[in-house]
Structure formats: structure tokens, C-alpha cells
Amino acid sequence: GHTPSLLTGAVMGALVTMILTQFQFNWGKLPHTSGSRGTELLQPPNQQKVHAKWSRCRDLVMVAGHSVFTGANFEDADETSAPWILLSYQKKQLGAYLNHIRTGVEIAAKNEEALLVFSGGETRISGGPRSEGQSYWWVADAHGWFGHGARVRDRTVTEEHARDSFENLLFSVCRFREIVGRYPETITVVSFSFKRKRFETVHSEALRWPTSKFRYVGMDMDDIPLPKDVHKLEYLNSLKYFKTDPYGCKGVLAEKKAQRNPFKRQIPYPEGCPEIRALFNYCGDTPFAGALPWRSRV
């Protein structure tokens, strides 16, 4: 007569163990949405429709990557303890990276003819073979494209080889040509406010990009002010070198690029943008003087 109660006890015990185990794994964790590990929006991407959207794009919106996310769950990327590969001076900058991602998405949401490119290579050996560009794409995806969903996701791609800010710009122009089949009519760059001079003058001048077709959006942290000497540091660490080596192909800048390519990736460009092959091969201290497929500044 005791067998059923023994069975009931065993079943109850198993259930309690299951519940406790589940509780233990989820301890202190909010439940994640299904979209946290992949693009699981209500509208799954349709290749034909996505490619049709790409073909209508005229404007490039480029977000320059600064770090690699090494976590498994991209919804956690906005937590202060999130596993981003950050150099010592970058520890307080995480909020800015997230602002860059969101701002790029917001700009693309307002312009149906914009192609959003998250740019940045596999720059850190400790981050494993995952790129900055891909990290940013998946963070945006895990956050539902900040309310814009498939409308922006379907017009967002990565550029996964850039090793410095000039390559962010040049490689993204080439990537636009690969994706759309022509060059962009306008470029909008999203990065830190203190890099404005570097992009607006030195980098865009190296491409001879028309100033009227170039826009820079500087975004920083919401609650932490930039260091007082940030412009001085920007000049000493970067701008000074780009002014004498605008294509970043010699000395200090070439060494930095080598360090930021720990997985020895071969750069695929200019295969997808053959019209500017000569620009890729150029290594001078004055602007490239050859023909360019855009109405360039003189």
C-alpha cells in the first residue's frame, strides 16, 4: 500500500531538484529574450528583399569600432562588467561605444537610402578571432535595433578588416561598392567628438572626398566627461602622425596596424572596389592625385 506514496515522493523530489537547479543557473539573472543570441526578430531576413534594399542605398553611414565583445550573450553588452576587450584608457569609454552603435542605427532609421556599416577588424588577440564590426552588429541585433528592427537590420553590414580610423573610412567606402554596386553619394561617420578633426580634415582629404558630402557625428559618454587633455592626447598619439603620413602606411602608424592584426588577416580590398585600386596602393605624404570615381575636392 506504500508504493504510490514512495513514487509520489520520488517524483516530487525530482521536481524540486529540477526547480532548484533551474533557479541556481538563473540566480540574479533577468530572463533574456530569444533575440539575444541571433537575429530572431519577428521579420526574419529574406535575401531577395534585403538585396533589393541594398540596391537602393545611396548614403554610407559608418560607425567606427573600438573594441571586441567576447561574451556569449550580446544583451549583456551594455552592463559595466560586460566582457569587452578594453585597454586601460578605454575602461570608462564603454558607454560611448554603445552610444555610437545606437546613433548609427538612429541615423540609418531616418534615411531609407542609407547603408549602415559597422567597421573594425579582429584587433585583439585576447578577443579571439571576432571582429569589432561583428561585435557591434550583434549588440545592435540583441537590442532589437533600438526599436527599429528589420527596417535597419536589413540595411546594416559589417566591415571586418580595418585596423585604424583611416581604414575604417576607406574600407567602408569599398564595402559600400561591394554591397551596392556603386560608390556612396554621401558619407556620415559616427565616432568620438575629439576625432572630428582627424576625420573631417585629414582622412576625408586623403580620399579627396567633397566636404559638402561629408558629415561627422561626434558622440561621447552620457555621464562621464572626457579628460581635459583629450585633444592634446589625440594630437600626440594620432593626429600628429596622420598629418605627415595621411595614408597610415609608414613608421608609427604602420606599426600600430601590424599590432592590430594579431590573426594575420589578409586585406581583401580593393577586390570589391577595383576603380580605386591605385588609391589603395598609394603611400605618399600629399593627397593621391589620380582619378577617383567620385566628384572629388580639388
Side-chain angles (χ1 to χ4, degrees), residues 2-268:
H2 295 290
T3 312
S5 59
L6 279 173
L7 273 172
T8 307
V11 169
M12 287 299 291
L15 274 171
V16 168
T17 305
M18 275 172 65
I19 291 163
L20 283 174
T21 306
Q22 192 64 29
F23 188 70
Q24 181 186 337
F25 279 124
N26 289 333
W27 183 260
K29 259 300 188 205
L30 292 168
H32 287 89
T33 68
S34 61
S36 60
R37 289 175 193 267
T39 186
E40 295 179 32
L41 299 174
L42 294 175
Q43 290 172 270
N46 172 289
Q47 187 166 317
Q48 205 173 350
K49 287 179 181 174
V50 168
H51 287 185
K53 288 181 184 180
W54 290 354
S55 70
R56 292 192 287 272
C57 290
R58 296 179 179 278
D59 305 302
L60 166 62
V61 179
M62 185 275 282
V63 175
H66 293 92
S67 183
V68 175
F69 181 74
T70 61
N73 202 312
F74 289 84
E75 274 195 350
D76 296 340
D78 52 2
E79 294 177 6
T80 48
S81 60
W84 289 87
I85 301 295
L86 301 172
L87 303 175
S88 56
Y89 70 89
Q90 293 178 311
K91 299 284 187 196
K92 293 179 179 176
Q93 295 180 354
L94 179 57
Y97 304 158
L98 299 164
N99 278 344
H100 296 164
I101 296 169
R102 181 191 288 267
T103 301
V105 169
E106 297 287 352
I107 293 168
K110 290 174 186 157
N111 178 4
E112 292 290 337
E113 293 185 334
L115 183 78
L116 174 59
V117 178
F118 290 124
S119 169
E122 297 170 0
T123 53
R124 309 279 178 224
I125 193 104
S126 50
R130 180 185 280 179
S131 71
E132 295 172 351
Q134 201 175 112
S135 296
Y136 281 33
W137 195 100
W138 286 111
V139 169
D141 190 72
H143 289 77
W145 299 90
F146 306 102
H148 299 291
R151 271 189 58 241
V152 173
R153 179 202 62 199
D154 290 354
R155 289 181 287 111
T156 306
V157 297
T158 59
E159 184 294 302
E160 301 187 49
H161 295 276
R163 301 160 295 182
D164 65 20
S165 53
F166 177 63
E167 287 189 345
N168 286 139
L169 184 59
L170 175 63
F171 291 4
S172 293
V173 168
C174 188
R175 194 80 180 95
F176 189 99
R177 165 69 176 83
E178 285 182 340
I179 292 283
V180 181
R182 59 179 173 269
Y183 291 91
E185 292 176 15
T186 71
I187 298 175
T188 300
V189 171
V190 180
S191 190
F192 285 99
S193 60
F194 63 82
K195 293 188 180 183
R196 178 182 298 275
K197 196 171 182 183
R198 193 197 309 186
F199 275 98
E200 281 190 340
T201 58
V202 186
H203 292 344
S204 66
E205 189 177 290
L207 290 187
R208 299 208 329 265
W209 194 266
T211 48
S212 63
K213 304 282 188 181
F214 188 88
R215 178 179 167 222
Y216 189 84
V217 179
M219 291 291 298
D220 304 311
M221 290 76 73
D222 290 330
D223 49 355
I224 305 171
L226 289 166
K228 286 185 172 64
D229 58 350
V230 69
H231 290 285
K232 181 185 173 186
L233 292 170
E234 158 69 357
Y235 179 78
L236 293 174
N237 293 328
S238 199
L239 192 54
K240 177 176 81 170
Y241 298 110
F242 274 115
K243 282 194 167 195
T244 56
D245 178 19
Y247 297 90
C249 50
K250 295 176 276 200
V252 171
L253 295 177
E255 285 168 27
K256 274 189 184 179
K257 285 201 289 197
Q259 288 166 7
R260 289 175 184 160
N261 190 15
F263 294 97
K264 309 280 187 187
R265 287 290 186 197
Q266 291 300 306
I267 307 300

